[in-house]
């Protein structure tokens, strides 16, 4: 039978809350760093230099094509074989998950932002250049604000996907939400109660982000009718 007391204890207890907090922290760090880097890589993807475009295209092809679990295991198990640097105590499951997920997110966000950059008419860049703005000013003052407006709904969707993808880190024993849940099940053998509590945590976080996305889309829609 379903143990309601255990379910409530799991739902309102510290272990799952701590795991959920770690999940959210990892997601925010990955998204912040990946977004900052992909703003540059997306711009480089349209560079006039062929070798730069080719390098970005290969990176995107590799990390969009490789399964996230494989990238995570390669980072955690493979890098220590390549260099002794990654055998030190600093290389924790959190760092490994951060590196793997950031590389994957950079690839996806680069494509999102590249298409957003492309949606901005060339006339705006030409007009800004005619006013005497240099390339950096045109990018940050003219192109980037408009591109982010176009890309924002897709970026929120990508963040939601990232939040769920952090559960893959359970294979390297990162004590995020799913790992804590698995450990609790291993000691109690109560599946429904712990999985149900974990599901509520995930659904709560995703629901908040979904509402945020809807609000942002409404605001952007009012501003461009």
């Amino acid at each position: 039978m379903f143990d309601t007391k255990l379910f409530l204890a799991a739902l309102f207890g510290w272990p799952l809350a701590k795991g959920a907090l770690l999940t959210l922290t990892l997601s925010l760090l990955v998204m912040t760093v990946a977004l900052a880097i992909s703003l540059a890589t997306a711009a480089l993807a349209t560079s006039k230099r062929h070798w730069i475009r080719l390098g970005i295209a290969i990176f995107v092809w590799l990390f969009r094509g490789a399964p996230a679990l494989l990238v995570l295991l390669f980072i955690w198990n493979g890098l220590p074989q390549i260099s002794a640097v990654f055998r030190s105590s600093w290389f924790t499951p959190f760092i490994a998950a951060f590196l793997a997920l950031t590389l994957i997110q950079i690839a996806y966000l680069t494509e999102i932002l590249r298409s957003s950059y492309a949606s901005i008419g060339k006339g705006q860049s030409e007009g800004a250049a005619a006013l005497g703005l240099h390339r950096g000013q045109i990018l940050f003052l003219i192109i980037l604000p408009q591109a982010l407006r176009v890309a924002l709904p897709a970026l929120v969707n990508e963040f939601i996907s990232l939040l769920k993808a952090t559960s893959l880190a359970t294979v390297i024993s990162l004590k995020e939400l799913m790992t804590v849940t698995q450990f609790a099940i291993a000691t109690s053998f109560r599946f429904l109660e712990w999985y149900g509590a974990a599901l509520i945590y995930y659904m709560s976080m995703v629901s908040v982000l979904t509402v945020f996305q809807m609000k942002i889309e409404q605001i952007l829609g009012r501003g461009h009718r």
Side-chain angles (χ1 to χ4, degrees), residues 55 69 102 148 178:
L69 181 58
T102 298
L148 286 176
M178 275 306 299

Side-chain angles (χ1 to χ4, degrees), residues 2-225:
F2 186 81
D3 190 335
T4 305
K5 289 185 178 180
L6 177 59
F7 169 74
L8 293 175
L11 183 62
F12 296 107
W14 175 239
L16 283 192
K18 185 179 179 181
L21 183 60
L22 182 60
T23 293
L24 189 58
T25 300
L26 176 60
S27 300
L28 287 170
L29 284 175
V30 168
M31 194 66 179
T32 300
V33 174
L35 181 59
I37 295 174
S38 60
L39 288 173
T41 55
L44 291 175
T46 60
S47 172
K48 294 181 179 179
R49 292 181 174 86
H50 174 72
W51 63 272
I52 293 179
R53 296 199 311 271
L54 179 61
I56 298 296
I58 291 173
F59 176 87
V60 171
W61 168 78
L62 177 61
F63 286 100
R64 286 181 71 194
L69 181 58
L70 180 59
V71 175
L72 182 62
L73 291 174
F74 181 87
I75 295 291
W76 177 243
N77 295 320
L79 290 185
Q81 293 183 0
I82 295 174
S83 173
V85 172
F86 297 100
R87 299 181 203 134
S88 302
S89 58
W90 69 268
F91 192 58
T92 62
F94 184 90
I95 297 296
F98 170 77
L99 290 175
L101 293 173
T102 298
L103 289 171
I104 294 169
Q105 283 303 115
I106 290 172
Y108 280 97
L109 297 187
T110 295
E111 281 299 285
I112 291 173
L113 291 171
R114 183 189 61 78
S115 61
S116 299
Y117 288 158
S119 69
I120 309 303
K122 291 184 178 180
Q124 298 199 38
S125 300
E126 294 171 353
L131 293 174
L133 275 66
H134 57 68
R135 292 184 62 182
Q137 291 176 316
I138 294 172
L139 175 62
F140 286 103
L141 299 178
I142 306 298
I143 304 299
L144 189 56
Q146 298 181 75
L148 286 176
R149 179 187 64 80
V150 173
L152 195 54
L155 293 177
V156 176
N157 276 335
E158 198 58 40
F159 185 71
I160 291 173
S161 297
L162 169 64
L163 188 69
K164 294 182 289 184
T166 57
S167 62
L168 295 173
T170 188
V171 299
I172 61 172
S173 299
L174 177 66
K175 294 181 180 179
E176 46 75 54
L177 183 54
M178 275 306 299
T179 305
V180 174
T181 303
Q182 297 283 24
F183 285 166
I185 289 172
T187 57
S188 66
F189 297 100
R190 302 296 300 188
F191 297 90
L192 289 177
E193 293 84 353
W194 286 100
Y195 281 144
L199 177 62
I200 289 179
Y201 271 102
Y202 277 114
M203 294 304 297
S204 297
M205 290 186 288
V206 170
S207 296
V208 170
L209 288 171
T210 302
V211 171
F212 173 75
Q213 178 184 3
M214 293 171 61
K215 294 295 184 182
I216 291 296
E217 289 178 348
Q218 288 175 1
I219 292 172
L220 294 177
R222 287 199 301 267
H224 290 81
R225 285 179 180 174

